[in-house]
Coordinates of all heavy atoms in Angstrom, one line a residue:
S1061 N 41.6 -35.9 20.4 CA 40.3 -35.8 20.0 C 39.9 -37.0 19.1 O 38.7 -37.5 19.1 CB 39.8 -34.5 19.4 OG 40.5 -34.3 18.2
I1062 N 40.9 -37.5 18.4 CA 40.5 -38.6 17.4 C 40.9 -39.9 18.0 O 40.1 -40.9 18.0 CB 41.4 -38.4 16.1 CG1 41.1 -37.1 15.4 CG2 41.2 -39.6 15.2 CD1 41.9 -36.7 14.2
F1063 N 42.0 -40.1 18.7 CA 42.5 -41.4 19.2 C 42.4 -41.5 20.7 O 42.6 -42.7 21.2 CB 44.1 -41.6 18.7 CG 44.2 -41.6 17.2 CD1 44.7 -40.5 16.6 CD2 43.8 -42.7 16.5 CE1 44.9 -40.6 15.2 CE2 43.9 -42.8 15.2 CZ 44.5 -41.7 14.5
G1064 N 42.1 -40.5 21.3 CA 42.0 -40.6 22.8 C 43.4 -40.7 23.5 O 44.4 -40.3 22.8
M1065 N 43.4 -41.1 24.7 CA 44.7 -41.1 25.5 C 45.2 -42.5 25.8 O 46.1 -42.6 26.6 CB 44.5 -40.4 26.7 CG 44.2 -38.9 26.7 SD 45.7 -38.0 26.1 CE 46.7 -38.0 27.7
K1066 N 44.8 -43.5 25.1 CA 45.2 -44.9 25.3 C 46.7 -45.1 25.0 O 47.3 -45.8 25.9 CB 44.3 -45.9 24.5 CG 44.6 -45.8 23.0 CD 43.8 -47.0 22.4 CE 44.0 -47.1 20.9 NZ 43.3 -48.1 20.2
D1067 N 47.3 -44.5 24.1 CA 48.7 -44.6 23.8 C 49.5 -43.9 24.8 O 50.6 -44.5 25.3 CB 49.0 -44.1 22.4 CG 48.6 -45.0 21.3 OD1 48.6 -46.3 21.4 OD2 48.1 -44.5 20.3
Y1068 N 49.0 -42.8 25.3 CA 49.8 -42.1 26.5 C 49.7 -42.9 27.7 O 50.6 -43.1 28.5 CB 49.2 -40.8 26.6 CG 49.8 -39.9 27.7 CD1 51.1 -39.2 27.4 CD2 49.4 -39.9 29.0 CE1 51.8 -38.5 28.3 CE2 50.1 -39.1 29.9 CZ 51.3 -38.5 29.5 OH 52.0 -37.7 30.5
T1069 N 48.5 -43.4 28.0 CA 48.3 -44.3 29.1 C 49.3 -45.5 29.1 O 49.9 -45.9 30.1 CB 46.9 -44.7 29.3 OG1 46.0 -43.6 29.4 CG2 46.7 -45.6 30.6
L1070 N 49.3 -46.2 28.0 CA 50.2 -47.3 27.8 C 51.7 -47.0 28.1 O 52.4 -47.8 28.7 CB 50.1 -47.9 26.4 CG 51.0 -49.1 26.1 CD1 50.7 -50.3 26.9 CD2 50.9 -49.5 24.5
W1071 N 52.0 -45.8 27.5 CA 53.4 -45.4 27.7 C 53.7 -45.2 29.2 O 54.8 -45.5 29.7 CB 53.6 -44.0 27.0 CG 55.0 -43.5 27.0 CD1 56.2 -44.2 27.0 CD2 55.3 -42.1 26.9 NE1 57.2 -43.3 27.1 CE2 56.8 -42.1 26.9 CE3 54.6 -40.9 26.8 CZ2 57.5 -40.9 26.8 CZ3 55.3 -39.7 26.7 CH2 56.7 -39.7 26.7
M1072 N 52.7 -44.5 29.9 CA 52.9 -44.2 31.4 C 53.0 -45.6 32.1 O 53.8 -45.7 33.1 CB 51.7 -43.4 31.9 CG 51.6 -42.0 31.5 SD 53.2 -41.0 31.8 CE 54.0 -41.1 30.1
Q1073 N 52.3 -46.6 31.8 CA 52.3 -47.9 32.4 C 53.6 -48.6 32.2 O 53.9 -49.5 33.0 CB 51.1 -48.7 31.9 CG 49.8 -48.2 32.3 CD 48.7 -49.0 31.6 OE1 48.8 -49.6 30.6 NE2 47.4 -48.9 32.2
N1074 N 54.4 -48.3 31.2 CA 55.5 -48.9 30.8 C 56.8 -48.0 31.1 O 57.9 -48.1 30.4 CB 55.6 -49.3 29.4 CG 54.9 -50.5 29.1 OD1 55.3 -51.6 29.3 ND2 53.5 -50.3 28.8
G1075 N 56.7 -47.1 32.2 CA 57.8 -46.4 32.6 C 58.1 -45.1 31.9 O 59.2 -44.6 32.0
G1076 N 57.1 -44.5 31.2 CA 57.4 -43.3 30.4 C 57.3 -42.0 31.2 O 57.8 -41.0 30.5
L1077 N 56.9 -41.9 32.5 CA 56.7 -40.7 33.1 C 58.0 -39.9 33.2 O 58.0 -38.6 32.8 CB 56.1 -40.9 34.5 CG 55.8 -39.6 35.2 CD1 54.9 -38.7 34.5 CD2 55.2 -39.9 36.7
P1078 N 59.1 -40.4 33.7 CA 60.4 -39.6 33.7 C 60.8 -39.0 32.4 O 61.2 -37.9 32.3 CB 61.4 -40.5 34.3 CG 60.6 -41.6 35.0 CD 59.3 -41.8 34.1
T1079 N 60.5 -39.8 31.3 CA 60.9 -39.4 30.0 C 60.0 -38.3 29.6 O 60.5 -37.3 28.9 CB 60.8 -40.6 29.0 OG1 61.7 -41.6 29.5 CG2 61.3 -40.1 27.7
A1080 N 58.7 -38.4 29.9 CA 57.8 -37.3 29.4 C 58.1 -36.1 30.2 O 58.1 -34.9 29.6 CB 56.3 -37.7 29.8
D1081 N 58.4 -36.1 31.5 CA 58.7 -34.9 32.3 C 60.0 -34.2 31.7 O 60.1 -33.0 31.6 CB 59.0 -35.4 33.7 CG 57.7 -35.6 34.5 OD1 56.7 -35.4 34.0 OD2 57.9 -36.3 35.6
A1082 N 61.0 -35.1 31.4 CA 62.2 -34.5 30.8 C 62.0 -33.9 29.5 O 62.6 -32.8 29.1 CB 63.3 -35.5 30.8
Y1083 N 61.2 -34.5 28.7 CA 60.8 -34.1 27.3 C 60.2 -32.6 27.3 O 60.7 -31.7 26.6 CB 60.0 -35.0 26.6 CG 59.6 -34.6 25.2 CD1 60.4 -34.8 24.1 CD2 58.3 -34.0 24.9 CE1 60.1 -34.4 22.8 CE2 58.0 -33.6 23.7 CZ 58.8 -33.8 22.6 OH 58.5 -33.4 21.3
Y1084 N 59.3 -32.5 28.2 CA 58.6 -31.2 28.3 C 59.4 -30.0 29.0 O 59.0 -28.9 29.0 CB 57.2 -31.4 28.9 CG 56.2 -32.1 28.0 CD1 55.9 -33.4 28.3 CD2 55.8 -31.5 26.9 CE1 55.0 -34.1 27.4 CE2 55.0 -32.2 26.0 CZ 54.6 -33.4 26.2 OH 53.8 -34.1 25.4
K1085 N 60.6 -30.4 29.5 CA 61.5 -29.4 30.0 C 62.4 -28.8 28.9 O 63.1 -27.9 29.2 CB 62.3 -30.0 31.2 CG 61.4 -30.2 32.4 CD 62.3 -30.9 33.5 CE 61.4 -31.1 34.9 NZ 62.2 -31.8 35.9
L1086 N 62.5 -29.6 27.8 CA 63.3 -29.1 26.7 C 62.6 -28.0 26.1 O 61.3 -27.7 26.1 CB 63.4 -30.2 25.6 CG 64.1 -31.5 26.0 CD1 64.0 -32.5 24.9 CD2 65.5 -31.3 26.5
D1087 N 63.4 -27.0 25.4 CA 62.8 -25.9 24.7 C 62.0 -26.6 23.5 O 62.3 -27.6 23.0 CB 63.6 -24.8 24.4 CG 64.7 -25.2 23.4 OD1 64.5 -26.0 22.4 OD2 65.9 -24.8 23.6
F1088 N 61.2 -25.8 22.8 CA 60.3 -26.3 21.8 C 61.1 -26.8 20.6 O 60.8 -27.9 20.0 CB 59.4 -25.2 21.3 CG 58.4 -25.7 20.2 CD1 57.3 -26.3 20.4 CD2 58.7 -25.4 18.8 CE1 56.5 -26.8 19.4 CE2 57.9 -25.8 17.8 CZ 56.8 -26.5 18.1
D1089 N 62.2 -26.1 20.2 CA 63.1 -26.6 19.1 C 63.7 -27.9 19.4 O 63.8 -28.8 18.5 CB 64.1 -25.5 18.8 CG 63.5 -24.3 18.2 OD1 62.4 -24.4 17.6 OD2 64.1 -23.2 18.2
E1090 N 64.1 -28.1 20.6 CA 64.9 -29.4 21.1 C 63.8 -30.5 21.0 O 64.0 -31.7 20.6 CB 65.4 -29.3 22.5 CG 66.7 -28.5 22.6 CD 67.2 -28.4 23.9 OE1 66.5 -28.0 24.8 OE2 68.3 -28.8 24.3
Q1091 N 62.6 -30.2 21.5 CA 61.5 -31.2 21.5 C 61.3 -31.6 19.9 O 61.2 -32.8 19.6 CB 60.2 -30.6 22.0 CG 60.2 -30.5 23.5 CD 58.9 -29.8 24.0 OE1 57.9 -29.9 23.3 NE2 58.9 -29.3 25.1
A1092 N 61.1 -30.7 19.1 CA 60.8 -31.0 17.7 C 62.0 -31.8 16.9 O 61.7 -32.8 16.3 CB 60.6 -29.6 16.9
V1093 N 63.2 -31.4 17.3 CA 64.4 -32.1 16.6 C 64.4 -33.6 17.2 O 64.6 -34.5 16.4 CB 65.7 -31.4 17.0 CG1 66.9 -32.3 16.6 CG2 65.7 -30.1 16.2
L1094 N 64.2 -33.7 18.5 CA 64.3 -35.1 19.0 C 63.1 -35.9 18.5 O 63.4 -37.1 18.1 CB 64.2 -35.0 20.6 CG 64.3 -36.4 21.3 CD1 65.6 -37.2 20.9 CD2 64.2 -36.2 22.8
Y1095 N 62.0 -35.5 18.5 CA 60.8 -36.2 18.1 C 61.0 -36.6 16.6 O 60.7 -37.7 16.2 CB 59.5 -35.4 18.3 CG 58.2 -36.1 18.0 CD1 57.6 -36.7 19.1 CD2 57.8 -36.2 16.7 CE1 56.4 -37.5 18.9 CE2 56.6 -37.0 16.5 CZ 55.9 -37.6 17.6 OH 54.8 -38.3 17.4
D1096 N 61.4 -35.7 15.8 CA 61.5 -35.9 14.4 C 62.6 -37.0 14.1 O 62.4 -38.0 13.3 CB 61.9 -34.7 13.6 CG 60.7 -33.8 13.5 OD1 59.5 -34.2 13.8 OD2 60.9 -32.6 13.1
K1097 N 63.7 -36.9 14.9 CA 64.8 -37.9 14.7 C 64.3 -39.4 15.1 O 64.6 -40.3 14.5 CB 66.0 -37.5 15.4 CG 66.8 -36.3 14.9 CD 68.1 -36.0 15.5 CE 68.9 -35.0 14.9 NZ 70.1 -34.6 15.6
I1098 N 63.6 -39.4 16.2 CA 63.2 -40.7 16.7 C 62.1 -41.2 15.7 O 62.1 -42.5 15.4 CB 62.6 -40.6 18.1 CG1 63.6 -40.3 19.1 CG2 61.9 -42.0 18.5 CD1 64.8 -41.2 19.1
Y1099 N 61.2 -40.5 15.2 CA 60.2 -40.8 14.3 C 60.8 -41.4 13.0 O 60.3 -42.3 12.4 CB 59.3 -39.5 13.9 CG 58.2 -39.9 12.9 CD1 57.0 -40.3 13.5 CD2 58.4 -39.8 11.5 CE1 56.0 -40.6 12.5 CE2 57.4 -40.1 10.6 CZ 56.2 -40.5 11.2 OH 55.1 -40.7 10.3
D1100 N 62.0 -40.8 12.6 CA 62.7 -41.3 11.4 C 63.5 -42.5 11.5 O 64.1 -43.0 10.5 CB 63.5 -40.2 10.8 CG 62.7 -39.0 10.2 OD1 61.5 -39.2 9.9 OD2 63.2 -37.8 10.2
L1101 N 63.6 -43.0 12.7 CA 64.5 -44.2 12.9 C 63.9 -45.4 12.1 O 62.7 -45.7 12.1 CB 64.5 -44.6 14.4 CG 65.2 -43.7 15.4 CD1 65.2 -44.2 16.8 CD2 66.7 -43.4 15.0
N1102 N 64.8 -46.1 11.6 CA 64.5 -47.4 10.8 C 64.0 -48.5 11.8 O 64.3 -48.5 13.0 CB 65.6 -47.9 10.0 CG 65.9 -47.0 8.7 OD1 65.0 -46.4 8.2 ND2 67.2 -46.9 8.4
Y1103 N 63.2 -49.4 11.3 CA 62.8 -50.6 12.0 C 63.8 -51.7 12.0 O 63.6 -52.6 13.0 CB 61.3 -51.0 11.5 CG 60.2 -50.1 11.7 CD1 60.0 -49.0 11.0 CD2 59.2 -50.5 12.6 CE1 58.8 -48.2 11.1 CE2 58.1 -49.6 12.9 CZ 58.0 -48.5 12.1 OH 56.9 -47.7 12.3
C1104 N 64.6 -51.7 11.1 CA 65.5 -52.8 10.9 C 66.6 -52.5 10.0 O 66.6 -51.4 9.4 CB 64.8 -54.0 10.3 SG 63.9 -53.6 8.7
T1105 N 67.7 -53.3 10.1 CA 68.8 -53.2 9.1 C 69.4 -54.6 8.9 O 69.1 -55.5 9.6 CB 69.8 -52.3 9.7 OG1 70.7 -51.8 8.6 CG2 70.5 -52.8 10.8
I1106 N 70.3 -54.6 7.9 CA 71.1 -55.9 7.6 C 72.5 -55.6 7.6 O 73.0 -54.6 7.1 CB 70.6 -56.4 6.3 CG1 69.2 -57.1 6.3 CG2 71.6 -57.5 5.7 CD1 68.5 -57.5 5.0
Y1107 N 73.2 -56.6 8.2 CA 74.7 -56.5 8.1 C 75.2 -57.8 7.6 O 74.8 -58.9 8.0 CB 75.2 -56.3 9.6 CG 76.7 -56.5 9.7 CD1 77.6 -55.3 9.4 CD2 77.4 -57.5 10.3 CE1 78.9 -55.4 9.5 CE2 78.7 -57.6 10.4 CZ 79.5 -56.6 9.9 OH 80.9 -56.6 10.0
I1108 N 76.2 -57.7 6.7 CA 76.8 -58.9 6.1 C 78.2 -58.9 6.6 O 79.0 -58.1 6.6 CB 77.0 -58.8 4.5 CG1 75.7 -58.4 3.8 CG2 77.5 -60.0 4.0 CD1 74.6 -59.4 3.9
N1109 N 78.4 -60.1 7.4 CA 79.6 -60.2 8.2 C 80.7 -60.7 7.4 O 80.6 -61.0 6.1 CB 79.3 -60.9 9.5 CG 79.1 -62.4 9.3 OD1 79.4 -63.0 8.3 ND2 78.7 -63.1 10.4
L1110 N 81.9 -60.9 8.0 CA 83.2 -61.3 7.3 C 83.0 -62.8 6.7 O 83.8 -63.1 5.8 CB 84.3 -61.3 8.3 CG 84.7 -59.9 8.8 CD1 85.8 -59.9 9.8 CD2 85.0 -59.0 7.6
K1111 N 82.1 -63.5 7.3 CA 81.8 -64.9 6.8 C 80.7 -64.9 5.8 O 80.3 -66.0 5.4 CB 81.4 -65.8 7.9 CG 82.5 -66.0 9.0 CD 82.1 -66.9 10.1 CE 83.1 -67.0 11.3 NZ 82.6 -67.7 12.4
K1112 N 80.3 -63.7 5.4 CA 79.2 -63.6 4.4 C 77.9 -64.1 4.9 O 77.0 -64.3 4.1 CB 79.5 -64.3 3.0 CG 80.9 -63.9 2.4 CD 80.9 -62.4 2.1 CE 82.2 -61.9 1.4 NZ 82.3 -60.5 1.3
Q1113 N 77.7 -64.1 6.2 CA 76.4 -64.4 6.8 C 75.6 -63.2 6.8 O 76.2 -62.1 7.1 CB 76.7 -65.0 8.2 CG 77.4 -66.3 8.3 CD 77.8 -66.7 9.6 OE1 78.3 -65.8 10.4 NE2 77.8 -67.9 10.1
I1114 N 74.4 -63.4 6.6 CA 73.4 -62.2 6.6 C 72.8 -62.0 8.0 O 72.1 -63.0 8.5 CB 72.3 -62.5 5.6 CG1 72.8 -62.7 4.1 CG2 71.2 -61.3 5.6 CD1 71.8 -63.2 3.2
I1115 N 73.0 -61.0 8.6 CA 72.6 -60.6 10.0 C 71.4 -59.7 9.8 O 71.7 -58.5 9.4 CB 73.6 -60.1 10.9 CG1 75.0 -60.9 10.7 CG2 73.2 -60.1 12.3 CD1 74.9 -62.3 11.2
F1116 N 70.2 -60.0 10.1 CA 69.1 -59.1 10.2 C 68.9 -58.7 11.7 O 68.7 -59.5 12.5 CB 67.8 -59.8 9.7 CG 66.7 -59.0 9.6 CD1 66.4 -58.1 8.5 CD2 65.7 -59.1 10.6 CE1 65.3 -57.3 8.4 CE2 64.5 -58.2 10.5 CZ 64.4 -57.3 9.5
L1117 N 68.8 -57.3 11.8 CA 68.6 -56.8 13.1 C 67.3 -56.0 13.2 O 67.1 -55.2 12.3 CB 69.9 -55.8 13.5 CG 71.3 -56.6 13.4 CD1 72.0 -56.0 12.2 CD2 72.0 -56.2 14.7
S1118 N 66.6 -56.3 14.2 CA 65.4 -55.5 14.6 C 65.2 -55.7 16.1 O 65.8 -56.4 16.8 CB 64.2 -56.0 13.8 OG 63.8 -57.3 14.3
H1119 N 64.3 -54.8 16.5 CA 64.0 -54.8 18.0 C 63.3 -56.1 18.5 O 63.9 -56.7 19.4 CB 63.0 -53.7 18.3 CG 62.7 -53.6 19.8 ND1 63.6 -53.3 20.8 CD2 61.5 -53.8 20.5 CE1 63.0 -53.4 21.9 NE2 61.8 -53.7 21.8
A1120 N 62.3 -56.5 17.9 CA 61.6 -57.6 18.5 C 62.0 -59.0 17.9 O 61.6 -60.1 18.3 CB 60.1 -57.4 18.4
G1121 N 62.6 -59.0 16.7 CA 62.9 -60.2 16.0 C 61.7 -60.6 15.1 O 60.6 -60.0 15.1
C1122 N 61.8 -61.7 14.3 CA 60.7 -62.0 13.3 C 61.0 -63.4 12.9 O 62.0 -64.0 13.2 CB 60.7 -61.0 12.3 SG 62.2 -61.0 11.3
Q1123 N 60.1 -63.9 12.0 CA 60.3 -65.1 11.3 C 61.2 -64.7 10.1 O 61.3 -63.6 9.6 CB 59.0 -65.5 10.7 CG 58.1 -66.2 11.9 CD 58.7 -67.6 12.4 OE1 59.7 -67.5 13.1 NE2 58.3 -68.7 11.9
P1124 N 62.0 -65.7 9.5 CA 62.9 -65.5 8.5 C 62.4 -64.8 7.3 O 63.0 -64.0 6.7 CB 63.5 -66.8 8.2 CG 62.6 -67.9 8.9 CD 62.0 -67.2 9.9
W1125 N 61.2 -65.2 6.9 CA 60.5 -64.5 5.7 C 60.1 -63.1 5.9 O 59.8 -62.4 5.0 CB 59.4 -65.4 5.2 CG 58.3 -65.7 6.2 CD1 57.3 -64.8 6.6 CD2 58.3 -66.9 7.0 NE1 56.5 -65.6 7.6 CE2 57.2 -66.7 7.8 CE3 59.1 -68.0 7.1 CZ2 56.8 -67.7 8.8 CZ3 58.7 -69.0 8.1 CH2 57.6 -68.9 8.8
Q1126 N 60.1 -62.6 7.2 CA 59.8 -61.3 7.5 C 61.1 -60.4 7.5 O 61.1 -59.2 7.6 CB 59.2 -61.1 8.8 CG 57.8 -61.8 8.8 CD 57.2 -61.7 10.2 OE1 57.7 -62.2 11.2 NE2 56.1 -61.0 10.4
A1127 N 62.3 -61.0 7.3 CA 63.6 -60.3 7.4 C 63.9 -59.7 6.2 O 64.7 -60.0 5.3 CB 64.6 -61.3 7.8
T1128 N 63.3 -58.6 5.9 CA 63.4 -57.6 4.8 C 63.5 -56.2 5.1 O 63.0 -55.7 6.2 CB 62.3 -57.8 3.8 OG1 62.4 -56.9 2.8 CG2 60.9 -57.7 4.5
L1129 N 64.3 -55.5 4.4 CA 64.4 -54.0 4.7 C 63.2 -53.3 4.3 O 63.1 -52.0 4.5 CB 65.6 -53.5 3.9 CG 66.9 -54.0 4.4 CD1 68.0 -53.4 3.6 CD2 67.2 -53.7 5.9
N1130 N 62.2 -53.9 3.6 CA 61.0 -53.3 3.1 C 59.8 -53.9 3.6 O 59.0 -54.6 2.9 CB 60.9 -53.1 1.6 CG 62.1 -52.3 1.1 OD1 62.2 -51.1 1.3 ND2 62.9 -52.9 0.2
P1131 N 59.6 -54.0 5.0 CA 58.5 -54.7 5.6 C 57.2 -54.1 5.3 O 57.0 -52.9 5.1 CB 58.8 -54.7 7.0 CG 59.6 -53.4 7.3 CD 60.4 -53.3 6.1
H1132 N 56.2 -55.1 5.2 CA 54.8 -54.5 5.1 C 54.3 -53.9 6.4 O 55.1 -54.0 7.4 CB 53.8 -55.8 4.9 CG 54.1 -56.4 3.5 ND1 54.0 -55.8 2.2 CD2 54.5 -57.7 3.2 CE1 54.3 -56.6 1.3 NE2 54.7 -57.8 1.9
T1133 N 53.3 -53.2 6.5 CA 52.8 -52.4 7.6 C 52.6 -53.4 8.8 O 53.1 -53.1 9.9 CB 51.4 -51.7 7.2 OG1 51.7 -50.8 6.2 CG2 50.9 -51.0 8.5
E1134 N 52.0 -54.6 8.6 CA 51.8 -55.5 9.7 C 53.1 -56.0 10.2 O 53.3 -56.3 11.4 CB 50.8 -56.6 9.3 CG 51.3 -57.5 8.1 CD 50.8 -56.9 6.8 OE1 50.5 -55.7 6.6 OE2 50.7 -57.8 5.8
D1135 N 54.1 -56.2 9.2 CA 55.4 -56.7 9.7 C 56.1 -55.7 10.5 O 56.9 -56.0 11.4 CB 56.2 -57.2 8.5 CG 55.7 -58.5 7.9 OD1 55.0 -59.2 8.6 OD2 55.9 -58.7 6.7
K1136 N 56.0 -54.3 10.1 CA 56.6 -53.3 11.0 C 56.1 -53.4 12.5 O 56.9 -53.2 13.4 CB 56.2 -51.9 10.4 CG 57.0 -51.6 9.1 CD 56.6 -50.2 8.6 CE 57.3 -49.9 7.3 NZ 56.9 -48.5 6.9
Y1137 N 54.8 -53.6 12.7 CA 54.3 -53.9 14.0 C 55.0 -55.0 14.6 O 55.4 -54.9 15.8 CB 52.8 -54.0 13.9 CG 52.2 -54.3 15.3 CD1 51.7 -53.2 16.1 CD2 52.0 -55.5 15.8 CE1 51.1 -53.3 17.2 CE2 51.5 -55.7 17.1 CZ 51.0 -54.7 17.8 OH 50.5 -54.9 19.0
D1138 N 55.2 -56.2 13.9 CA 55.8 -57.3 14.5 C 57.2 -57.0 14.9 O 57.8 -57.5 15.9 CB 55.8 -58.5 13.4 CG 54.4 -59.2 13.5 OD1 53.5 -58.8 14.3 OD2 54.1 -59.9 12.6
L1139 N 58.0 -56.2 14.1 CA 59.4 -55.9 14.4 C 59.6 -55.2 15.6 O 60.7 -55.1 16.2 CB 60.0 -55.2 13.1 CG 60.1 -56.0 11.8 CD1 60.6 -55.1 10.7 CD2 61.1 -57.2 12.0
L1140 N 58.5 -54.5 16.0 CA 58.6 -53.7 17.3 C 57.9 -54.5 18.5 O 58.4 -54.3 19.7 CB 57.8 -52.4 17.1 CG 58.3 -51.4 16.2 CD1 57.3 -50.2 16.2 CD2 59.7 -51.0 16.4
W1141 N 56.9 -55.3 18.3 CA 56.1 -55.8 19.4 C 56.1 -57.3 19.5 O 55.8 -57.8 20.6 CB 54.7 -55.3 19.2 CG 54.5 -53.9 19.5 CD1 54.5 -52.9 18.5 CD2 54.4 -53.2 20.7 NE1 54.4 -51.7 19.1 CE2 54.3 -51.8 20.4 CE3 54.2 -53.6 22.0 CZ2 54.1 -50.9 21.5 CZ3 54.0 -52.7 23.0 CH2 54.0 -51.3 22.7
N1142 N 56.2 -58.1 18.4 CA 55.8 -59.5 18.4 C 56.7 -60.5 19.1 O 58.0 -60.2 19.1 CB 55.7 -60.0 16.9 CG 55.1 -61.4 16.8 OD1 55.7 -62.4 16.9 ND2 53.7 -61.4 16.7
R1143 N 56.3 -61.4 19.8 CA 57.0 -62.4 20.5 C 56.7 -63.8 20.1 O 57.3 -64.8 20.5 CB 56.9 -62.3 22.1 CG 57.5 -61.0 22.7 CD 57.6 -61.1 24.2 NE 58.3 -60.1 24.7 CZ 57.9 -58.9 25.3 NH1 56.5 -58.7 25.3 NH2 58.7 -58.0 25.8
D1144 N 55.6 -63.9 19.3 CA 55.2 -65.3 18.8 C 56.3 -66.1 18.2 O 56.4 -67.3 18.4 CB 54.0 -65.2 18.0 CG 52.7 -64.6 18.7 OD1 52.8 -64.6 20.0 OD2 51.8 -64.2 18.1

Side-chain angles (χ1 to χ4, degrees):
S1061 65
I1062 299 173
F1063 298 104
M1065 291 291 284
K1066 66 177 183 179
D1067 286 321
Y1068 184 80
T1069 301
L1070 177 64
W1071 185 31
M1072 293 300 102
Q1073 291 171 343
N1074 282 273
L1077 182 58
T1079 304
D1081 288 343
Y1083 178 81
Y1084 287 110
K1085 290 178 182 176
L1086 300 175
D1087 64 44
F1088 182 78
D1089 288 340
E1090 286 181 302
Q1091 291 179 15
V1093 167
L1094 179 60
Y1095 189 93
D1096 289 346
K1097 286 185 176 180
I1098 297 299
Y1099 183 87
D1100 289 336
L1101 293 179
N1102 288 326
Y1103 289 77
C1104 56
T1105 193
I1106 286 176
Y1107 175 76
I1108 309 296
N1109 71 12
L1110 296 176
K1111 298 177 183 177
K1112 304 302 181 183
Q1113 294 166 320
I1114 301 168
I1115 315 295
F1116 182 81
L1117 302 109
S1118 69
H1119 177 66
C1122 61
Q1123 286 293 80
W1125 51 87
Q1126 294 176 299
T1128 170
L1129 293 179
N1130 297 296
H1132 298 298
T1133 300
E1134 59 270 24
D1135 288 337
K1136 287 182 178 179
Y1137 179 90
D1138 283 350
L1139 293 176
L1140 297 180
W1141 292 93
N1142 190 272
R1143 291 190 169 103
D1144 293 343

